Amino acid sequence: AQSVTQPDIHITVSEGASLELRCNYSYGATPYLFWYVQSPGQGLQLLLKYFSGDTLVQGIKGFEAEFKRSQSSFNLRKPSVHWSDAAEYFCAVGRTGTASKLTFGTGTRLQVTL
Amino acid sequence: DGGITQSPKYLFRKEGQNVTLSCEQNLNHDAMYWYRQDPGQGLRLIYYSQIVNDFQKGDIAEGYSVSREKKESFPLTVTSAQKNPTAFYLCASRGDRSYEQYFGPGTRLTVT
């Protein structure tokens, strides 16, 4: 069965500092991977996705993620964090089959200090 | 404006009552999903539907029911059999030939 691990429950960074959120997955085939962001009391917004091809993918709001098959990782990065990036971030892996069900990690809450 | 709407945003019920959460999309998506979100547990799949008049149980379907009579609508009923119904409920949809899901704003259900 597929699973997603986000080892950091809570991360605090200073505004302007770089950010890396970790995501490790367990899946028997080539996965398709996603990062979503959620502001308090809101739905999830898709930041970026990886299906195949270039292992470095660019997303919205200046985020990028790199797929590393050898490490089963799909870490999210941003070179310079803005205060508005404070939110909860979820990594998800897509399952095979036409239903395209997603398995989510437990999330990483990002706090940004000014 | 295309998107997914969920109503109401906040819902309060007494224990023992059934309650139905609304989810509507105008994205012309075939597939729709219901998730439950609890603090520290991420999202868990309750039910999903790939086409009108068809739906399947997800990982935590006990105590919930759904219907899919129209392509744009996928209501979720939280029954009195659900032991811990207080949670944040998210609806999502997915277009044909795509893998990503798009989410509605959610409904926070509180049962006392």
Side-chain angles (χ1 to χ4, degrees), chain B residues 11-51:
Chain B
L11 195 50
F12 298 88
R13 282 294 183 270
K14 294 290 187 188
E15 204 172 297
Q17 294 178 336
N18 291 355
V19 59
T20 297
L21 282 61
S22 167
C23 176
E24 304 276 333
Q25 53 99 359
N26 61 5
L27 301 168
N28 200 34
H29 287 173
D30 284 315
M32 297 186 73
Y33 307 79
W34 272 105
Y35 292 90
R36 171 184 172 133
Q37 184 177 25
D38 297 281
Q41 294 196 44
L43 279 70
R44 293 181 289 168
L45 181 64
I46 304 173
Y47 267 98
Y48 63 99
S49 167
Q50 299 181 77
I51 198 166

Side-chain angles (χ1 to χ4, degrees), chain B residues 23-106:
Chain B
C23 176
E24 304 276 333
Q25 53 99 359
N26 61 5
L27 301 168
N28 200 34
H29 287 173
D30 284 315
M32 297 186 73
Y33 307 79
W34 272 105
Y35 292 90
R36 171 184 172 133
Q37 184 177 25
D38 297 281
Q41 294 196 44
L43 279 70
R44 293 181 289 168
L45 181 64
I46 304 173
Y47 267 98
Y48 63 99
S49 167
Q50 299 181 77
I51 198 166
V52 174
N53 293 322
D54 186 52
F55 48 83
Q56 287 80 40
K57 293 181 179 179
D59 300 318
I60 56 163
E62 186 175 347
Y64 299 97
S65 66
V66 293
S67 63
R68 187 84 188 277
E69 297 176 2
K70 298 186 296 182
K71 186 175 185 177
E72 57 270 22
S73 178
F74 191 40
L76 172 75
T77 297
V78 184
T79 75
S80 55
Q82 168 50 233
K83 290 186 173 57
N84 296 297
T86 294
F88 190 52
Y89 290 88
L90 288 157
C91 177
S93 70
R94 177 181 60 81
D96 205 20
R97 298 189 185 89
S98 71
Y99 297 109
E100 63 266 31
Q101 294 178 19
Y102 294 93
F103 285 81

Side-chain angles (χ1 to χ4, degrees), chain A residues 14-49:
Chain A
S14 300
E15 189 175 42
S18 64
L19 172 70
E20 182 167 24
L21 301 182
R22 297 183 290 164
C23 173
N24 292 96
Y25 66 89
S26 170
Y27 191 61
T30 300
Y32 37 94
L33 296 156
F34 308 87
W35 275 99
Y36 286 88
V37 61
Q38 183 182 36
S39 297
Q42 303 297 317
L44 275 68
Q45 180 182 22
L46 180 66
L47 282 176
L48 47 77
K49 60 193 177 190

Side-chain angles (χ1 to χ4, degrees), chain A residues 3-77:
Chain A
S3 65
V4 178
T5 302
Q6 293 181 248
D8 304 306
I9 296 172
H10 187 215
I11 282 183
T12 300
V13 300
S14 300
E15 189 175 42
S18 64
L19 172 70
E20 182 167 24
L21 301 182
R22 297 183 290 164
C23 173
N24 292 96
Y25 66 89
S26 170
Y27 191 61
T30 300
Y32 37 94
L33 296 156
F34 308 87
W35 275 99
Y36 286 88
V37 61
Q38 183 182 36
S39 297
Q42 303 297 317
L44 275 68
Q45 180 182 22
L46 180 66
L47 282 176
L48 47 77
K49 60 193 177 190
Y50 171 79
F51 298 150
S52 64
D54 194 346
T55 56
L56 184 64
V57 294
Q58 303 296 321
I60 62 171
K61 304 186 181 190
F63 286 93
E64 67 178 26
E66 187 170 11
F67 171 59
K68 292 186 177 180
R69 184 187 301 276
S70 61
Q71 298 176 21
S72 297
S73 69
F74 188 56
N75 294 349
L76 182 71
R77 301 194 294 246

Side-chain angles (χ1 to χ4, degrees), chain A residues 89-102:
Chain A
Y89 292 80
F90 292 93
C91 181
V93 61
R95 314 182 200 180
T96 55
T98 57
S100 296
K101 294 180 286 186
L102 299 181

